[in-house]
C-alpha cells in the first residue's frame, strides 16, 4: 500500500491509491533541488536528531545500473501418482535453493548499487532472517547501524533474534539501547513488557505499558497486554478496563474478548462473561476461516511470494533514490515470479501510474482485481484511472460499481463525489455521498471532501466546520489549510 | 469407618480445633524449612543395564505421512501381578502392504527386579503388529488382571489378560473391530458408574487425500500439521461396556460424537469434584475438549466455558500430552498440557468453580519449553517432598529441522521442573546424567520400577531405543503407595479419588487409565510426604460407590486398599 502524499493535487483522489505521479515540470524543480542539495542535507541531519528512526539522507550513490534479473520461473510441481516421491522432493528442494540464490544475488546487487544506504543492509538482514541465518542477519543489521547509528528500529530486529534464541536478557538490552537512541521508537517498550509478562513479572510489564500508553497513540495490543498483566496480578477490574479499551480500538480483537470473558467470570459477572465469550467465539471462527490462516501444502508458492516481496522492497530502495525507471525491471521480475499474487501487480500498476502510463496501470489493476476481487481499492483505482483518461462515463460506472460491491469502503464515495464535481454532474447526490463517506470513516480526507461539497453548494458555514475537522485530524496538511483560507476569503 | 488391620494408630490425637490449628501451623512451618532439602532430584540412565533392546520404528517411508511423526506411547503395568511394574512399548509399522522382512511389532518386557527386564512378547502373545499410537490398561472383564487396549492407525486391538502371563486378542469378540481411524490416546473409565469399565477412544485426523508430494520447508521434506487442508478433524468414540465382554458404541447418545477435533492425548478424571468421571482431550491445533459427565454417562463439551479450550491468549495450541493431578494440594485436579514448538507447556489451575485459570506464566511451569516440541508428561512428586514436580519428554517433529533452522534440533533434551512450593523451577540440567540424554522422545510414563519408594521414568523415543531413568534422588522424603481394588466399583478403582490426610497436609490423587502422551501409567498411586511420618487417615471415594475411610497407617510402604474390606494381604 502506498503512503499517502501530504500535498494534494487536483487529480489525486483515492487516499494512497494510485500513488503520486511526478510533478509536471520536474526538471525545473530538480534543478532547484540540486542547488539546494547541501542545505537539504544539513536540514535532514538536523531533522534526524528529532526523529532518529528517519532514514539516511540521500547521499551520493554509485551510478545505478539497470538490474537484469534472472528470467527463470519457478513452477509448482504437480505430481503424478506414478512419480517417485524422493525425486519430487529433490526437484522441489532444488527450486527452493534456486530462489534462495536469487534473493542473495539481488541483495548483493543492491549493496553494490547503494553502498552507503543502510536500507540495503537491512534488506539483506531481513532475507537472512527469513533463511534462519541468525549470525548473518545480525551482522547485516549491525552493518546498517554502523552506517546510520540513529536507526533505533534496528534494535527491535536485533532483540527479536536474541529473544528467539532464548536470550531474553540480551533482547531486553537491545531494546533498551533502541529506546536510549530514540525514546519514541515504536514497539520497544511493548517488547520489553512482553518479556516481563512471559517471565511471570507482570508488575514490571504493567509499569512499562502504562508509560507506553501515555507516550504512543492508542494501540489495542498495548491495552491487551496490560489487561493480561493485571489478570496475572489478579486485579481483574483493571484487567477488564484494559481489555475493553483494546476492543474499542480494535473491535475484531478476539484475544481481548477472551481475556475479558475470563476476568468477568472471576468477578462473577456471568452475563458479561458469556457475552464476551460469544463475541470471542464468533470473531475467532471468522479469523480462523480467513485465507491467511490456511496452511499451505506446497512450499514453492510461498517461497515465490517471499522472493517477489524482496524485489518489491528492492524497488522501494530505487524509488528512495529517485531511480524510478531503473527500478522497473525489479517489479517486472516480482510479477514474473509470483504472477498470481495481486500485490505484485498492484505495485507495478502504481509504478506505471507514477510514470504516467494509465493504460498499462489500468491493465494491471484489472488483473489484480481478477486475482483478488474482494479488494475494494482496485475497483476504485480503476475508476480513478478512467477519470484521468477523461473517460468520465466509464469512471462513473466504475465508482458506482465499487460502491455497490463495497458499500462500507468510503474512498468509493469520495472518488465519485470528486468526479461529479469535476464534471458538474449529479451535484444533488454529492452531499449525501459526502455525508455517507464521513459517516463510514471520519478521516481528514473525507471531511475535506465534505467541505468541498458544502462549498460548491454555497453552504459556507458547513464547509468551514468540515474543513476545520479535517485540519484537526491532519494539522500538517497544507491543502486543507489553503482550502480553509479560500472558504474564509469567500 | 472401615477397620484397617495393617495400620498402626499414631499417638498424636488433636483434641480441639485451637490445638489442631496450632499443631498444623507449627508443622507447616517446620515442613516449609525442611522441604528444600528434598529438592535435589537426580536421575541416571539405566537403559543399558536393563537389557531392553526394543527399538521403535516410525515407519518412515519417504512419503512423510502424518502418522510417522506422532508414534507412539507406552504402558507401565504389572501384567503378571508379581508386584513389579512391567513395560509395554508400542511400535510404528510399515506403510507398504508387503514389506521385506518381519513387520515391526510391540514389545512386552517383564520386570525381573534390580533393573533387569526380559522380553516376553512371544510368550505373552502380545506382539501386535498394527501401527501403534495409543495404549491404555484396565481390567475391563473384572477378572482381577489388567487387560490392554491399543489405539492404532488402522485396526485397534483389545488384548484380554488370561491371568497366566499370556494374552488373547479379543477385538472382534468385544465388538471393537470396526474402528480403523488414526488413533491417539485411549482410556478406560466407568462413564455411567455401573461398576464396569467403558472405553474412550480418541482419534487424530482423517486423511482426505493421499499426499503424493510431501511438503517441504526451506526445501527440506517435512511433515504437515493437522491444520493442513488435506486433513480433517474427526470425532472421538465412547464404547459402553455391556458387562459380558462386549462393547457398544454410544458416541452419539453420550454426546461425545457431537464435536470434532484432532485428538492427541486424552485423560479421564473428576474435573469438577462431583464424583463422576469427565473426559479431557488435548487437540492438536484445534480447541481442546472437556466433556463434562452428568453422572449418567452423558457428556457436554465445556472446554471453552471452562477456559481450557485455548491458552491464556485465546489461541489453540498444538496440544500433545496431558496429565492431571492436584499440584497445589487444594483438593482439585489441575491440568498440564504439552504443546508444539513456539508455545508454552500450559498449566491450568482448577479454580473449583467449573473454570480453570491458565497460570503457565506466573507458575513458571512452562518456562524453557517454548523452543521445544513437547510430548509425554507426568505430574509426579519425584523427591517425595509433598508436592508434585513436572517431567516433559521432548523431541522435534521434523527430522531435518536443524538443516533449515539452526535454532532447533530433531533430538532434544527432556525437561524437569521442580515444584518449589509457589513456583516451578527448571532443574533439567542439574538433575543427573539421565536428563542429559538427547533423543526424539514421544510417550513418557512414570512408576516405581524398583519398589524403592520413588518414581522412575520410562520414555519411548521415536525411531530409537527407549530411555529408562532411575530415580536416585538422595535426600528423599517419606512416602506412601496405594493400589485400589474395587469390589462393587470397577476392579482397578479407576476414577476413584484417594486423600491421604496428615496432621498438616492432605494429598489427593485419582486413579487414571491412559494419560501423558498416548500412554498409561500410575495404576498405583504415589504420595510424597516429606518429613511427615504420620498419616491420620486415608479417604477413598469409589466411582459409583461410597466414600470409605481407612484409619491411620505407617509411612514408607505400599498399601492395597480393598473396597469394603480394608487392606488386602
Amino acid at each position: 500500500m502506498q503512503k499517502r502524499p501530504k500535498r494534494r493535487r487536483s487529480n489525486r483522489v483515492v487516499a494512497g491509491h494510485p500513488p503520486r505521479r511526478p510533478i509536471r515540470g520536474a526538471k525545473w524543480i530538480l534543478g532547484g533541488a540540486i542547488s539546494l542539495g547541501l542545505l537539504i542535507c544539513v536540514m535532514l541531519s538536523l531533522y534526524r536528531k528529532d526523529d532518529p528512526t528517519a532514514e539516511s539522507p540521500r547521499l551520493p550513490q554509485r551510478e545505478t545500473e539497470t538490474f537484469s534479473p534472472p528470467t527463470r520461473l519457478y513452477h509448482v510441481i504437480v505430481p503424478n501418482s506414478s512419480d517417485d516421491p524422493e525425486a519430487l522432493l529433490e526437484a522441489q528442494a532444488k527450486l527452493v535453493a534456486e530462489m534462495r540464490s536469487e534473493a542473495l544475488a539481488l541483495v548483493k546487487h543492491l549493496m553494490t548499487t547503494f553502498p552507503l544506504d543502510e536500507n540495503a543492509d537491512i534488506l539483506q538482514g531481513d532475507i537472512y532472517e527469513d533463511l534462519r541465518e541468525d549470525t548473518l542477519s545480525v551482522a547485516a543489521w549491525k552493518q546498517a547501524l554502523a552506517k546510520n547509528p540513529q536507526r533505533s528500529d534496528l534494535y527491535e530486529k536485533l532483540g527479536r533474534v536474541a529473544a528467539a534464541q532464548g536470550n531474553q536478557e540480551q533482547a531486553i538490552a537491545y531494546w533498551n539501547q533502541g529506546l536510549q537512541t530514540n525514546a519514541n521508537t515504536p514497539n520497544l517498550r511493548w517488547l520489553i513488557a512482553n518479556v516481563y509478562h512471559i517471565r511471570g513479572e507482570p508488575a514490571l510489564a504493567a509499569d512499562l505499558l502504562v508509560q507506553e500508553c501515555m507516550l504512543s497513540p492508542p494501540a489495542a495490543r498495548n491495552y491487551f497486554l496490560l489487561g493480561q498483566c493485571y489478570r496475572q496480578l489478579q486485579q481483574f477490574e483493571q484487567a477488564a478496563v484494559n481489555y475493553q479499551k483494546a476492543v474499542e480500538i480494535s473491535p475484531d480483537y478476539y484475544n481481548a474478548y477472551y481475556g475479558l470473558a475470563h476476568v468477568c467470570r472471576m468477578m462473577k459477572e456471568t452475563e458479561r462473561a458469556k457475552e464476551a465469550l460469544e463475541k470471542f467465539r464468533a470473531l475467532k471462527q471468522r479469523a480462523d476461516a480467513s485465507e491467511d490462516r490456511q496452511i499451505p501444502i506446497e512450499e514453492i508458492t510461498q517461497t515465490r511470494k517471499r522472493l517477489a516481496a524482496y524485489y518489491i522492497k528492492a524497488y522501494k530502495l530505487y524509488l528512495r533514490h529517485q531511480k524510478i525507471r531503473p527500478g522497473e525491471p525489479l517489479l517486472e521480475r516480482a510479477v514474473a515470479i509470483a504472477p498470481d499474487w495481486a500485490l505484485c501487480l498492484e505495485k507495478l500498476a502504481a509504478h506505471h501510474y507514477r510514470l504516467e502510463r494509465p493504460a498499462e496501470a489500468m491493465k494491471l489493476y484489472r488483473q489484480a482485481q481478477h486475482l483478488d476481487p474482494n479488494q475494494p481499492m482496485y475497483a476504485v483505482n480503476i475508476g480513478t484511472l478512467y477519470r484521468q483518461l477523461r473517460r468520465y462515463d466509464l469512471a462513473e460506472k466504475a465508482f458506482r460499481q465499487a460502491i455497490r460491491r463495497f458499500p462500507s469502503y468510503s474512498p468509493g464515495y469520495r472518488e465519485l463525489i470528486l468526479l461529479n464535481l469535476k464534471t458538474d454532474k449529479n451535484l444533488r447526490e454529492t452531499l449525501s455521498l459526502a455525508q455517507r463517506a464521513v459517516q463510514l470513516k471520519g478521516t481528514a480526507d473525507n471531511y475535506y471532501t465534505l467541505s468541498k461539497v458544502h462549498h460548491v453548494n454555497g453552504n459556507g458555514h458547513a464547509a468551514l466546520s468540515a474543513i476545520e475537522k479535517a485540519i484537526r485530524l491532519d494539522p500538517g496538511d497544507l491543502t486543507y489549510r489553503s482550502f480553509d483560507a479560500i472558504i474564509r476569503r469567500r | 469407618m472401615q477397620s484397617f488391620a495393617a495400620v498402626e494408630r499414631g499417638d498424636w490425637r488433636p483434641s480441639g480445633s485451637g490445638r489442631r490449628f496450632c499443631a498444623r501451623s507449627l508443622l507447616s512451618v517446620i515442613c516449609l524449612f525442611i522441604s528444600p532439602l528434598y529438592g535435589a532430584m537426580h536421575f541416571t540412565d539405566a537403559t543399558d543395564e536393563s537389557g531392553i533392546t526394543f527399538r521403535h520404528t516410525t515407519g518412515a517411508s519417504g512419503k512423510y505421512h502424518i502418522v510417522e511423526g506422532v508414534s507412539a506411547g507406552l504402558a507401565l503395568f504389572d501384567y503378571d501381578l508379581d508386584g513389579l511394574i512391567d513395560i509395554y512399548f508400542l511400535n510404528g509399522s510399515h506403510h507398504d502392504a508387503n514389506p521385506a522382512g518381519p513387520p515391526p511389532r510391540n514389545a512386552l518386557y517383564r520386570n525381573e527386579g534390580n533393573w533387569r527386564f526380559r522380553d516376553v512378547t512371544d510368550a505373552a502373545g502380545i506382539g501386535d503388529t498394527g501401527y501403534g499410537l495409543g495404549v491404555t490398561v484396565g481390567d475391563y472383564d473384572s477378572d482381577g488382571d489388567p487387560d490392554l487396549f491399543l489405539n492404532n492407525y488402522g485396526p485397534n486391538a483389545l488384548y484380554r489378560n488370561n491371568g497366566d502371563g499370556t494374552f488373547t486378542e479379543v477385538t472382534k469378540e468385544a465388538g471393537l473391530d470396526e474402528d480403523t481411524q488414526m488413533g491417539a490416546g485411549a482410556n478406560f473409565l466407568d462413564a455411567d458408574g455401573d461398576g464396569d469399565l467403558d472405553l474412550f477412544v480418541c482419534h487424530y485426523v482423517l486423511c482426505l487425500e493421499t499426499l503424493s508430494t510431501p511438503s517441504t520447508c526451506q526445501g527440506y521434506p517435512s511433515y504437515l500439521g493437522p491444520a493442513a487442508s488435506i486433513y480433517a478433524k474427526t470425532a472421538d468414540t465412547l464404547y459402553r461396556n455391556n458387562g459380558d465382554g462386549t462393547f457398544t458404541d454410544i458416541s452419539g447418545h453420550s454426546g461425545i460424537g457431537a464435536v470434532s477435533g484432532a485428538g492427541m492425548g486424552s485423560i479421564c478424571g473428576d474435573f469438577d469434584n462431583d464424583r463422576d468421571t469427565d473426559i479431557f482431550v488435548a487437540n492438536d491445533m484445534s480447541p481442546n475438549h472437556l466433556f463434562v459427565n452428568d453422572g449418567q454417562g452423558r457428556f457436554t463439551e465445556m472446554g471453552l466455558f471452562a477456559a481450557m479450550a485455548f491458552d491464556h491468549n485465546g489461541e489453540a495450541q498444538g496440544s500433545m500430552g496431558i496429565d492431571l493431578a492436584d499440584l497445589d494440594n487444594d483438593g482439585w485436579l489441575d491440568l498440564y498440557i504439552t504443546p508444539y514448538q513456539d508455545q508454552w507447556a500450559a498449566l491450568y489451575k482448577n479454580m473449583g468453580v467449573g473454570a480453570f485459570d491458565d497460570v503457565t506464566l506466573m507458575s513458571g511451569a512452562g518456562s524453557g519449553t517454548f523452543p521445544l516440541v513437547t510430548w509425554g508428561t507426568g505430574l509426579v512428586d519425584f523427591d517425595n517432598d509433598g508436592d508434585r514436580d513436572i517431567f516433559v519428554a521432548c523431541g522435534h517433529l521434523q527430522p531435518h529441522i536443524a538443516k533449515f533452522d539452526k535454532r532447533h534440533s530433531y533430538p532434544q533434551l527432556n525437561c524437569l521442573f521442580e515444584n518449589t512450593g509457589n513456583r516451578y523451577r527448571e532443574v533439567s540440567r542439574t538433575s543427573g546424567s539421565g536428563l542429559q540424554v538427547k533423543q526424539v522422545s514421544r510417550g513418557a510414563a512414570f512408576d516405581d520400577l524398583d519398589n524403592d519408594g520413588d518414581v522412575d521414568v520410562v520414555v519411548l523415543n521415536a525411531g530409537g531405543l527407549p530411555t529408562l531413568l532411575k530415580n536416585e534422588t538422595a535426600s528423599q522424603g517419606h512416602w506412601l503407595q496405594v493400589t485400589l481394588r474395587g469390589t462393587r466399583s470397577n476392579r482397578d478403582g479407576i476414577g476413584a479419588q484417594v486423600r491421604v490426610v496428615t496432621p498438616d497436609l492432605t494429598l489427593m490423587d485419582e486413579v487414571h487409565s491412559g494419560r501423558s502422551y498416548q500412554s498409561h501409567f500410575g495404576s498405583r498411586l504415589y504420595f510424597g510426604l516429606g518429613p511427615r511420618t504420620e498419616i491420620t487417615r486415608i479417604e477413598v471415594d469409589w466411582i459409583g460407590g461410597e466414600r470409605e475411610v481407612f484409619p491411620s497407617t505407617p509411612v514408607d510402604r505400599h498399601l492395597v486398599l480393598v473396597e469394603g474390606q480394608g487392606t488386602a494381604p
Side-chain angles (χ1 to χ4, degrees):
Chain A
M1 204 173 276
Q2 299 296 318
K3 199 176 173 187
R4 184 169 61 79
K6 278 290 179 194
R7 282 188 157 277
R8 280 164 177 70
R9 284 155 302 285
S10 59
N11 63 359
R12 197 214 63 80
V13 277
V14 181
H17 318 286
R20 179 166 50 177
R21 294 194 304 186
I23 299 166
R24 287 175 199 277
K27 283 176 191 170
W28 295 102
I29 292 169
L30 192 62
I34 290 165
S35 64
L36 291 169
L38 186 62
L39 180 63
I40 290 168
C41 282
V42 171
M43 283 173 70
L44 275 170
S45 64
L46 286 171
Y47 170 66
R48 272 172 43 195
K49 281 184 182 165
D50 293 332
D51 178 12
T53 59
E55 294 173 345
S56 296
R58 300 201 175 101
L59 298 165
Q61 306 290 341
R62 286 184 193 177
E63 190 58 39
T64 312
E65 284 177 25
T66 304
F67 181 51
S68 305
T71 52
R72 170 94 166 84
L73 295 179
Y74 306 102
H75 294 294
V76 174
I77 301 166
V78 181
N80 291 317
S81 52
S82 58
D83 286 338
D84 172 20
E86 300 269 338
L88 284 171
L89 274 173
E90 209 172 296
Q92 200 155 319
K94 200 174 154 214
L95 276 185
V96 174
E98 283 174 7
M99 285 192 261
R100 288 170 72 142
S101 305
E102 187 177 337
L104 294 173
L106 168 67
V107 85
K108 197 173 164 192
H109 164 79
L110 294 176
M111 304 284 284
T112 317
T113 312
F114 308 108
L116 300 175
D117 190 330
E118 79 273 11
N119 289 294
D121 300 278
I122 294 171
L123 181 58
Q124 186 186 33
D126 292 349
I127 292 174
Y128 280 130
E129 191 193 21
D130 285 346
L131 299 176
R132 296 283 203 280
E133 297 281 1
D134 289 349
T135 316
L136 294 171
S137 57
V138 167
W141 292 328
K142 284 190 172 170
Q143 202 168 304
L145 263 179
K147 286 179 189 170
N148 183 358
Q150 301 304 310
R151 286 295 293 262
S152 57
D153 54 325
L154 286 169
Y155 290 106
E156 179 188 336
K157 292 173 186 279
L158 291 167
R160 215 173 46 213
V161 169
Q165 290 172 335
N167 194 344
Q168 293 176 346
E169 289 308 322
Q170 177 67 67
I172 290 175
Y174 274 131
W175 293 328
N176 274 324
Q177 223 171 322
L179 286 172
Q180 277 163 21
T181 309
N182 175 9
N184 295 323
T185 313
N187 282 344
L188 299 184
R189 270 185 208 89
W190 185 91
L191 285 164
I192 297 170
N194 192 42
V195 170
Y196 286 139
H197 168 244
I198 60 182
R199 286 207 311 213
E201 297 173 72
L204 282 175
D207 284 349
L208 267 176
L209 288 165
V210 168
Q211 274 182 47
E212 181 69 5
C213 288
M214 285 191 300
L215 293 169
S216 311
R221 72 173 193 163
N222 288 339
Y223 289 108
F224 170 67
L225 189 55
L226 198 49
Q228 295 286 74
C229 294
Y230 286 126
R231 175 176 158 183
Q232 274 192 2
L233 291 164
Q234 312 267 309
Q235 296 175 22
F236 298 128
E237 268 179 43
Q238 281 280 67
V241 167
N242 284 285
Y243 290 134
Q244 195 65 54
K245 279 185 187 164
V247 296
E248 276 161 20
I249 296 168
S250 177
D252 291 348
Y253 206 162
Y254 63 80
N255 312 80
Y257 277 110
Y258 189 74
L260 183 62
H262 184 81
V263 295
C264 286
R265 189 165 37 202
M266 290 303 189
M267 295 188 294
K268 304 215 179 334
E269 293 180 22
T270 315
E271 281 311 308
R272 197 174 164 209
K274 266 188 194 166
E275 203 179 300
L277 212 51
E278 284 307 322
K279 194 86 187 163
F280 161 77
R281 197 182 352 216
L283 290 171
K284 175 108 176 86
Q285 244 165 27
R286 203 171 69 190
D288 286 348
S290 69
E291 266 178 35
D292 55 341
R293 293 254 177 141
Q294 307 306 311
I295 311 285
I297 293 173
E298 55 82 28
E299 196 189 9
I300 304 297
T301 309
Q302 223 181 348
T303 316
R304 277 194 326 205
K305 268 191 178 178
R306 208 178 296 144
L307 181 57
Y310 299 148
Y311 274 102
I312 292 170
K313 282 186 183 172
Y315 171 79
K316 280 184 186 162
L317 205 56
Y318 273 70
L319 206 57
R320 247 174 56 74
H321 292 271
Q322 305 289 332
K323 314 268 183 210
I324 302 177
R325 274 175 207 279
E328 189 166 307
L330 298 171
L331 288 180
E332 282 172 343
R333 179 64 182 150
V335 171
I337 292 166
D340 41 7
W341 192 20
L343 183 82
C344 294
L345 297 165
E346 180 213 322
K347 296 293 174 195
L348 187 56
H351 167 80
H352 285 307
Y353 182 83
R354 269 186 204 100
L355 295 175
E356 297 183 57
R357 300 169 185 159
E360 284 92 334
M362 173 81 78
K363 195 176 149 197
L364 288 159
Y365 273 127
R366 283 209 180 284
Q367 285 176 27
Q369 192 183 29
H370 181 69
L371 286 173
D372 189 358
N374 295 323
Q375 174 55 263
M377 181 182 76
Y378 302 151
V380 174
N381 283 358
I382 286 168
T384 310
L385 286 166
Y386 274 130
R387 195 177 60 214
Q388 279 164 14
L389 289 166
R390 296 180 190 282
R391 298 296 308 274
Y392 297 131
D393 50 339
L394 292 175
E396 184 182 344
K397 199 175 158 194
F399 292 138
R400 290 198 188 278
Q401 258 177 10
I403 290 170
R404 247 196 322 276
R405 179 136 168 60
F406 308 103
S408 54
Y409 186 62
S410 70
Y413 298 88
R414 204 170 57 227
E415 294 303 299
L416 182 57
I417 295 162
L418 294 174
L419 177 72
N420 287 346
L421 293 177
K422 190 175 179 72
T423 56
D424 237 3
K425 274 172 67 185
N426 307 320
L427 289 178
R428 271 190 178 173
E429 72 169 347
T430 52
L431 183 59
S432 59
L433 287 171
Q435 283 165 339
R436 177 80 182 126
V438 164
Q439 196 184 8
L440 285 169
K441 210 161 190 185
T443 58
D445 260 342
N446 287 342
Y447 277 112
Y448 169 60
T449 312
L450 179 64
S451 174
K452 278 179 110 170
V453 172
H454 281 311
H455 184 63
V456 169
N457 289 336
N459 188 345
H461 282 295
L464 201 60
S465 159
I467 199 65
E468 278 170 357
K469 278 181 187 156
I471 292 169
R472 261 203 303 280
L473 287 166
D474 192 353
D477 196 298
L478 299 178
T479 315
Y480 303 153
R481 291 189 182 278
S482 59
F483 191 64
D484 180 60
I486 290 168
I487 299 169
R488 285 176 195 283
R489 269 204 304 276
R490 295 263 169 106
Chain B
M1 189 177 287
Q2 300 296 322
S3 65
F4 197 172
V7 176
E8 293 169 13
R9 286 179 183 276
D11 293 328
W12 187 75
R13 285 280 180 278
S15 57
S17 60
R19 198 171 142 194
R20 185 155 47 234
F21 175 77
C22 290
R24 280 189 175 199
S25 304
L26 183 64
L27 270 166
S28 298
V29 171
I30 293 168
C31 291
L32 193 68
F33 283 102
I34 295 174
S35 285
L37 300 175
Y38 295 88
M41 291 181 279
H42 191 87
F43 291 86
T44 53
D45 185 355
T47 316
D48 286 347
E49 65 183 90
S50 69
I52 289 174
T53 56
F54 168 80
R55 182 177 283 274
H56 175 265
T57 177
T58 61
S61 58
K63 291 178 181 170
Y64 286 79
H65 191 293
I66 193 168
V67 74
E68 297 165 2
V70 297
S71 166
L74 74 154
L76 299 185
F77 71 118
D78 183 5
Y79 85 100
D80 52 1
L81 304 177
D82 65 351
L84 290 167
I85 288 165
D86 312 297
I87 311 175
Y88 186 70
F89 295 108
L90 267 63
N91 210 342
S93 190
H94 296 305
H95 295 293
D96 301 335
N98 301 304
R105 63 175 192 176
N106 301 344
L108 176 64
Y109 280 86
R110 181 174 186 271
N111 188 342
E112 310 257 275
N114 296 319
W115 287 92
R116 294 293 303 169
F117 292 81
R118 185 163 55 90
D119 187 342
V120 293
T121 314
D122 284 331
I126 203 164
D128 195 84
T129 55
Y131 205 118
L133 290 163
V135 58
T136 193
V137 174
D139 185 5
Y140 82 95
D141 52 2
S142 302
D143 64 352
D145 46 41
D147 311 298
L148 200 71
F149 177 79
L150 306 178
N151 194 1
N152 291 333
Y153 171 42
N156 298 331
L158 177 66
Y159 283 90
R160 190 182 66 215
N161 192 330
N162 301 320
D164 57 359
T166 67
F167 289 81
T168 304
E169 201 211 321
V170 293
T171 321
K172 194 170 171 52
E173 295 90 311
L176 297 172
D177 56 332
E178 296 285 311
D179 183 359
T180 56
Q181 286 198 49
M182 199 182 299
N187 315 80
F188 282 112
L189 74 158
D190 186 358
D192 45 11
D194 65 352
D196 55 30
L197 289 175
D198 310 300
L199 178 63
F200 179 75
V201 179
C202 196
H203 297 126
Y204 190 32
V205 288
L206 293 174
C207 293
L208 298 180
E209 56 185 272
T210 310
L211 184 62
S212 46
T213 308
S215 167
T216 59
C217 195
Q218 302 278 3
Y220 292 96
S222 57
Y223 292 107
L224 280 169
S229 57
I230 57 163
Y231 303 119
K233 291 184 274 186
T234 181
D236 304 316
T237 308
L238 181 65
Y239 295 97
R240 187 184 63 221
N241 190 333
N242 300 321
D244 58 358
T246 65
F247 290 84
T248 303
D249 183 344
I250 55 162
S251 311
H253 169 71
S254 64
I256 293 294
V259 289
S260 295
M264 290 291 255
S266 55
I267 195 161
C268 300
D270 188 359
F271 284 78
D272 46 8
N273 273 355
D274 64 350
R275 307 280 294 274
D276 57 29
T277 304
D278 313 299
I279 303 170
F280 185 86
V281 180
N283 285 314
D284 189 358
M285 295 313 295
S286 56
N288 300 318
H289 291 152
L290 172 63
F291 295 103
V292 176
N293 194 341
D294 70 352
Q296 307 296 313
R298 280 183 297 272
F299 293 84
T300 310
E301 203 289 296
M302 298 288 284
L304 180 61
F305 291 97
M308 301 168 92
F310 300 97
D311 71 359
H312 61 275
N313 287 322
E315 299 290 354
Q317 290 200 316
S319 303
M320 308 285 197
I322 36 180
D323 202 17
L324 185 65
D326 181 9
L327 285 173
D328 48 5
N329 294 330
D330 65 350
W332 296 84
L333 293 169
D334 310 298
L335 186 82
Y336 191 72
I337 307 182
T338 54
Y340 195 66
Q341 159 194 305
D342 296 342
Q343 298 164 344
W344 283 276
L347 173 57
Y348 291 88
K349 179 181 159 51
N350 194 331
M351 306 302 288
V353 288
F356 285 72
D357 190 11
D358 182 340
V359 294
T360 307
L361 302 177
M362 282 305 273
S363 65
S367 66
T369 59
F370 194 77
L372 303 168
V373 182
T374 56
W375 304 80
T377 185
L379 307 177
V380 178
D381 186 354
F382 289 111
D383 49 4
N384 283 331
D385 65 348
D387 53 35
R388 289 169 183 275
D389 313 294
I390 304 174
F391 184 95
V392 178
C394 310
H396 213 283
L397 177 73
Q398 307 294 359
H400 303 293
I401 183 74
K403 291 178 188 157
F404 60 86
D405 187 346
K406 292 185 173 65
R407 292 172 193 162
H408 302 102
S409 64
Y410 185 42
Q412 295 177 335
L413 293 167
N414 296 327
C415 292
L416 182 64
F417 298 94
E418 184 200 350
N419 189 338
T420 62
N422 57 356
R423 202 174 153 80
Y424 282 89
R425 184 166 62 103
E426 201 201 336
V427 292
S428 317
R429 305 291 83 85
T430 56
S431 295
S433 59
L435 268 296
Q436 312 315 313
V437 178
K438 211 171 182 181
Q439 285 281 356
V440 186
S441 300
R442 294 292 183 262
F446 311 86
D447 263 305
D448 184 1
L449 296 180
D450 48 7
N451 286 336
D452 65 349
D454 57 34
V455 179
D456 309 294
V457 185
V458 185
V459 182
L460 184 139
N461 299 312
L465 287 166
T467 307
L468 271 69
L469 299 180
K470 190 192 289 187
N471 187 343
E472 295 192 317
T473 303
S475 48
Q476 294 270 354
H478 294 289
W479 51 273
L480 184 75
Q481 298 180 1
V482 175
T483 301
L484 298 183
R485 285 280 166 267
T487 52
R488 290 186 291 270
S489 59
N490 72 79
R491 171 89 185 171
D492 298 324
I494 289 169
Q497 282 194 351
V498 177
R499 271 174 218 85
V500 173
V501 182
T502 73
D504 71 314
L505 180 71
T506 299
L507 297 165
M508 187 268 272
D509 203 1
E510 191 177 84
V511 184
H512 300 130
S513 159
R515 61 207 293 190
S516 181
Y517 180 68
Q518 307 180 358
S519 299
H520 173 89
F521 64 91
S523 298
R524 190 190 292 181
L525 302 179
Y526 301 92
F527 298 93
L529 299 168
R532 299 167 189 86
T533 53
E534 186 187 347
I535 290 168
T536 314
R537 64 183 185 279
I538 302 172
E539 299 170 358
V540 182
D541 285 336
W542 300 95
I543 277 291
E546 300 295 313
R547 171 171 293 184
E548 193 171 4
V549 180
F550 295 86
S552 66
T553 174
V555 297
D556 299 335
R557 63 186 56 198
H558 175 208
L559 299 175
V560 179
L561 304 183
V562 182
E563 185 181 14
Q565 295 176 16
T567 50

